[in-house]
Amino acid sequence: ITSVQARPADEIIVTGEKFARPLQATTSSVTLVQSSDITTRGLTRLQDIIGRTANISPANGPAGFSIRGITNSGVSGAGEADTAVIYIDNTPLAWTYLQAAPTRLWDIASVEIWRGPQSTLRGLNSPAGAIMIQSTDPDLHDWDVRSRVSHSDEPAKGVAIAGGGPIQSDQLAVRVALETQSRDGFIHNLTRHTHEDREESTTARLKLLWTPAALSGFSLKLGYNRFRREGGFYRVYARTDSANFLHHPIATDN
C-alpha cells in the first residue's frame, strides 16, 4: 500500500530506499536502468546489465555477481549468508535460487543497482549492495499490447507478449506478461546424446492496480509471478583435448 503523489513526467525516480525520490536527490551510489534503456540497448537478462555497469561484474557462473569486489554468495564463498540481494517486485531471492530465478528483462520497468551496505533497509544479507527489479505496472488510462519473437543460430528461440489497461478508468487496471524461451546450447554430450547446456523457461506475471476514487491518495498493488525452468547444471564444461574444440565443443560425462 503506497501513497500517490504527482511528479513531473520526465523526472527519474528511484524507490530502492523505500522512498520515491528523484535520482538527483539521492546521495547513495545507484545505477538506474529504465525500460527505454533495456529496449534500445538490446538487454534481455539481468546479467546483461551486470556486465555493463561500473563496480559490478559477473562472478561464480550465471547465478552470481559481485559488487565492489564482494560476491553475492559470501566473502568466503562458503555457507549461505548472502552479501547482496536481488529483489523482484520487492520480493527477495536467495542466491542459491538465482540460477532458476525469473531475472529476464521482458516487460521490466526498471532495474536499480545499489552499491555499498544496504543493511538498514534490506537486512543483514546486503552488506555489499542490492539489485531491485520492478516489472511494468498496469496503466490506469490506456490499453497497450506488445510482443517479441526472437531466434538465433545457437539455436535459441523465444516468444513474449505483454499487455493490459484499465478495467475501470482511473481506478482499477490489470497487466499480464508472458515469455517462453528455449535453447539447445553449444556443447554436445556424446555419452548421453543430448546438449549439455540446453534450457527451457517460461515466465508468467499478473499485476493488479487499484486506486479507489473514494480513498484519495490510496493505492493497492497486487502481483503474482510464476516461473519454470528446465535445464542442466548451470556450470557446464567442454573437453579441451578434442579436435576443433572451440568450434565444436563436446562433453563425455554421464
Side-chain angles (χ1 to χ4, degrees):
I1 300 174
T2 60
S3 176
V4 179
Q5 297 180 354
R7 295 181 179 275
D10 58 348
E11 193 171 43
I12 300 176
I13 303 298
V14 293
T15 60
E17 291 182 322
K18 297 189 177 181
F19 289 93
R21 60 163 58 97
L23 179 62
Q24 294 84 351
T26 302
T27 58
S28 301
S29 178
V30 56
T31 292
L32 173 65
V33 179
Q34 297 177 294
S35 59
S36 57
D37 302 319
I38 293 173
T39 301
T40 57
R41 294 162 60 185
L43 308 175
T44 60
R45 304 174 305 155
L46 176 61
Q47 290 298 108
D48 295 338
I49 296 178
I50 290 175
R52 304 181 191 187
T53 302
N55 292 323
I56 180 171
S57 59
N60 298 329
F65 61 94
S66 66
I67 299 179
R68 291 178 173 173
I70 302 176
T71 63
N72 63 308
S73 57
V75 177
S76 66
E80 296 186 0
D82 299 10
T83 49
V85 182
I86 294 178
Y87 286 78
I88 298 180
D89 287 336
N90 297 315
T91 300
L93 306 177
W95 75 267
T96 50
Y97 172 64
L98 294 182
Q99 177 200 0
T103 55
R104 297 187 64 85
L105 300 178
W106 173 247
D107 205 42
I108 293 300
S110 67
V111 178
E112 299 176 10
I113 299 178
W114 295 82
R115 306 177 187 87
Q118 306 294 317
S119 303
T120 301
L121 297 174
R122 301 296 167 187
L124 296 178
N125 289 339
S126 58
I131 298 178
M132 314 293 297
I133 302 174
Q134 295 290 342
S135 61
T136 303
D137 284 338
D139 193 317
L140 289 167
H141 308 290
D142 300 305
W143 281 87
D144 78 289
V145 176
R146 55 197 298 253
S147 61
R148 182 180 68 193
V149 177
S150 59
H151 190 277
S152 66
D153 60 357
E154 188 175 351
K157 56 187 177 181
V159 177
I161 187 171
I167 299 176
Q168 183 177 2
S169 182
D170 296 330
Q171 295 193 60
L172 181 63
V174 63
R175 187 169 187 85
V176 177
L178 301 170
E179 182 185 33
T180 178
Q181 295 282 332
S182 64
R183 57 188 291 268
D184 285 346
F186 294 100
I187 305 173
H188 186 67
N189 189 297
L190 300 181
T191 304
R192 294 186 284 112
H193 303 290
T194 186
H195 287 87
E196 187 82 347
D197 50 345
R198 71 166 192 86
E199 183 180 58
E200 296 183 0
S201 63
T202 301
T203 305
R205 183 183 302 116
L206 172 67
K207 298 187 77 173
L208 290 172
L209 178 61
W210 183 42
T211 58
L215 299 174
S216 178
F218 173 87
S219 71
L220 176 66
K221 184 163 52 180
L222 302 176
Y224 175 78
N225 284 271
R226 180 174 177 83
F227 181 74
R228 179 181 177 90
R229 174 192 178 273
E230 294 184 9
F233 186 55
Y234 70 92
R235 291 185 180 179
V236 295
Y237 302 93
R239 297 185 66 105
T240 59
D241 57 353
S242 62
N244 201 17
F245 69 89
L246 289 177
H247 296 91
H248 299 286
I250 63 170
T252 56
D253 60 279
N254 190 18

